[in-house]
Amino acid sequence: MRMRSLMLAVCLMLGASAVQAQVRFAPEIAFGSDADFGIGGRVNFGLTSLFKTPGFFGVGEFIYFFPSGPINYWEINGNLGYLITVRGNVKPYVLGGLNIGHASADCGGFNGCSSTDAGVNLGGGINIHTHGKLLPFIEGRIQLGHGDEFVVTGGLYF
């Protein structure tokens, strides 16, 4: 029950912050050191008006992984990021936030075995500004707290 309350609180905070922000969506692919290949989607929204400082943004994402073996695994991430000011088309950023991961498997009975755990994300990435509306990105982060996994994601904001 506490996990559902935490997930709801994170979603409400992200949604409330996005109301007055520039919002971008992106499909993404992910590769995890333990969870193998994954696909997902993310939303990115500026938080300049909230922090009164340019460069802050929020990211919410859902990734469904395809680990080897009879295991199902997905995760929800809510991160706060900060763009590092540099010249050029490649814009680096740092980020940190919360991770909620859910694993389940068929245990041979009527009810499957499952586990939902929370952890912390720490990482960074780059946005590659093009002359069009599309914005490619690549990101790496360590997830601490449940399984300590390194995840690399990449995608294309539109």
Side-chain angles (χ1 to χ4, degrees):
M1 187 64 165
R2 285 193 309 189
M3 188 60 62
R4 288 184 185 162
S5 298
L6 176 63
M7 288 174 45
L8 178 61
V10 169
C11 289
L12 288 175
M13 286 182 349
L14 293 175
S17 299
V19 170
Q20 297 185 18
Q22 177 187 1
V23 178
R24 296 187 93 154
F25 299 94
E28 67 182 328
I29 59 171
F31 297 94
S33 59
D34 291 332
D36 299 334
F37 173 75
I39 59 172
R42 65 169 44 198
V43 60
N44 180 308
F45 46 91
L47 295 175
T48 298
S49 61
L50 180 65
F51 287 98
K52 308 294 187 233
T53 303
F56 283 100
F57 63 93
V59 176
E61 75 181 334
F62 174 84
I63 304 173
Y64 187 88
F65 284 93
F66 301 93
S68 56
I71 297 172
N72 299 310
Y73 180 71
W74 56 262
E75 62 184 38
I76 297 171
N77 296 291
N79 295 309
L80 175 64
Y82 183 76
L83 287 168
I84 299 168
T85 305
V86 295
R87 291 188 176 168
N89 292 339
V90 177
K91 306 292 184 184
Y93 61 88
V94 294
L95 59 80
L98 298 175
N99 168 273
I100 298 170
H102 177 80
S104 63
D106 183 12
C107 295
F110 291 102
N111 295 323
C113 300
S114 67
S115 174
T116 302
D117 295 308
V120 175
N121 292 323
L122 298 172
I126 57 170
N127 293 327
I128 304 166
H129 288 267
T130 62
H131 296 291
K133 293 183 179 183
L134 300 178
L135 179 67
F137 72 91
I138 188 165
E139 178 179 293
R141 66 178 175 265
I142 184 85
Q143 297 173 335
L144 304 170
H146 66 88
D148 296 349
E149 181 173 29
F150 182 73
V151 176
V152 174
T153 64
L156 192 62
Y157 285 110
F158 54 92

